[in-house]
Amino acid sequence: MISAWKLLDGFQTRLVNPIVGWLLRTPLHDLLSRRVMLLTVTGRRSGAAIRLPVQYERHGDTLTVTSRPSRLWWRNLGGGAPVRIILDGVPREGHAEVGRAPAGPVTGGSGAGTAMPAPVVVTVRLTTAAPAPAGVPAQVGWLWMRTVTLGEIVGFSMPALVGALVAGPAWSALGIEPLLRAAAVVMAGTVEGAVLGLAQAYVLRTALPAIATRDWVRATMGGAAIAWCVGALPVLDDRVLGWPPAFLALLGLTLLAAMGLLQWRVLRRHVRAAFWWVVATAGSWLAALGVFTLVTTPLWQEGQPAWLIVAIGVLGGAAMAVTVAALTAVAFVRLLARSISPQERRVGVHQCDDPAGRCT
């Protein structure tokens, strides 16, 4: 019978490790790299590179990795061997040695138990200094446009699908159909914000690596949730559209500016005049929503099947995605020109959010 540990090892090797290893090589590595690094060892017999993510503890230039004895990669390090790692997104080199931790507690009863196998401890001592940052890619604007377009298309497919599903009669149960619909759409919109935030962070961190992926994604999710809450108000009560124009204008401003405002709270510590990002994103979303309306309004008709509603929504979402990605790409490139260098942050130079650029 195959042991549970072997099944776990197989699952980790074939599915988990490739995904985690890819993530550690991307700008989004900070989601994991505080505790996980990518280790590459050379097979003693095959000479092949064995690459795997491992959890580590760091003490200065010494890294400690603990592994189960059932894993085999550490056997290639007997007697010490050079290794390559990616630590905090930066390629490094080191020298690794293998040892054993104390044996685990005795299992079993009546004195017939056996000690748990002692875990393997690999100690890696870094031998090279971290290289200088590679710098901002020359085509960062195009990278932003491609990545954000894809992220928004994937993200918007969720509320498009959910919106079509909740339009069915089954959601009339318990007499709270509008509330159920609105809640479902807002939750799907929050997922859209998470996907969009990850796509934006992927490019953003190539130029501003000090911005944490979690902070950016949380800000984007929060802005999306607020925007979808505003957008869901007519679902709860169509009399909303008859409210005073000033109040409707305030709701519209909230819908457009919520995401940019929360993202600004992250950006302002890293770029000067960061408040222009709020203006740029609000204008981009206004244009994108206009494009979405122009594409979908002539196509949507009463009584259409759910699959067609979803297809039209995704088509409109794709047009919206291209629009918002193109406009925010221009703003993003200009924003980078205002970035604050690490040297400036060390001497206490802070960002300036005055639109006229008057810093004090």
Side-chain angles (χ1 to χ4, degrees), residues 156 160 292 296 300 308-318:
F156 188 76
F292 178 83
T296 58
W300 270 330
L308 183 56
I309 295 175
V310 173
I312 296 172
V314 171
L315 176 63

Side-chain angles (χ1 to χ4, degrees), residues 198-209:
L198 285 170
Q200 291 180 338
Y202 184 91
V203 186
L204 178 67
R205 282 179 42 79
T206 63
L208 300 172

Side-chain angles (χ1 to χ4, degrees), residues 217-302:
V217 172
R218 280 196 293 261
T220 310
M221 289 177 64
I226 294 172
W228 280 99
C229 283
V230 173
L233 287 176
V235 177
L236 292 172
D237 189 346
D238 55 11
R239 291 175 296 180
V240 169
L241 300 177
W243 288 359
F247 196 76
L248 291 178
L250 179 61
L251 287 177
L253 182 61
T254 302
L255 184 150
L256 294 172
M259 184 178 295
L261 192 60
L262 293 182
Q263 290 177 337
W264 162 75
R265 289 174 57 85
V266 179
L267 280 173
R268 61 181 177 169
R269 299 188 294 271
H270 305 277
V271 296
R272 301 178 182 85
F275 196 79
W276 281 114
W277 181 251
V278 183
V279 179
T281 53
S284 299
W285 282 111
L286 179 61
L289 290 172
V291 170
F292 178 83
T293 302
L294 288 174
V295 171
T296 58
T297 300
L299 299 177
W300 270 330
Q301 304 295 332
E302 191 70 27

Side-chain angles (χ1 to χ4, degrees), residues 305-333:
W307 68 267
L308 183 56
I309 295 175
V310 173
I312 296 172
V314 171
L315 176 63
M320 180 175 68
V322 172
T323 303
V324 75
L327 294 177
T328 55
V330 176
F332 175 63
V333 171

Side-chain angles (χ1 to χ4, degrees), residues 58-144:
R58 182 171 186 175
H59 302 281
D61 284 340
T62 300
L63 311 173
T64 302
V65 178
T66 303
S67 176
R68 295 192 305 272
S70 59
R71 305 290 287 172
L72 302 178
W73 62 269
W74 54 268
R75 298 185 180 181
N76 297 288
L77 303 176
V83 294
R84 300 189 305 276
I85 63 175
I86 295 181
L87 181 66
D88 291 328
V90 178
R92 304 289 298 270
E93 293 184 356
H95 185 82
E97 295 182 354
V98 180
R100 286 276 187 169
V106 175
T107 61
S110 304
T114 57
M116 295 291 291
V120 175
V121 177
V122 176
T123 302
V124 179
R125 291 178 175 82
L126 299 177
T127 57
T128 59
V136 181
Q139 300 296 325
V140 68
W142 286 108
L143 178 62
W144 175 278

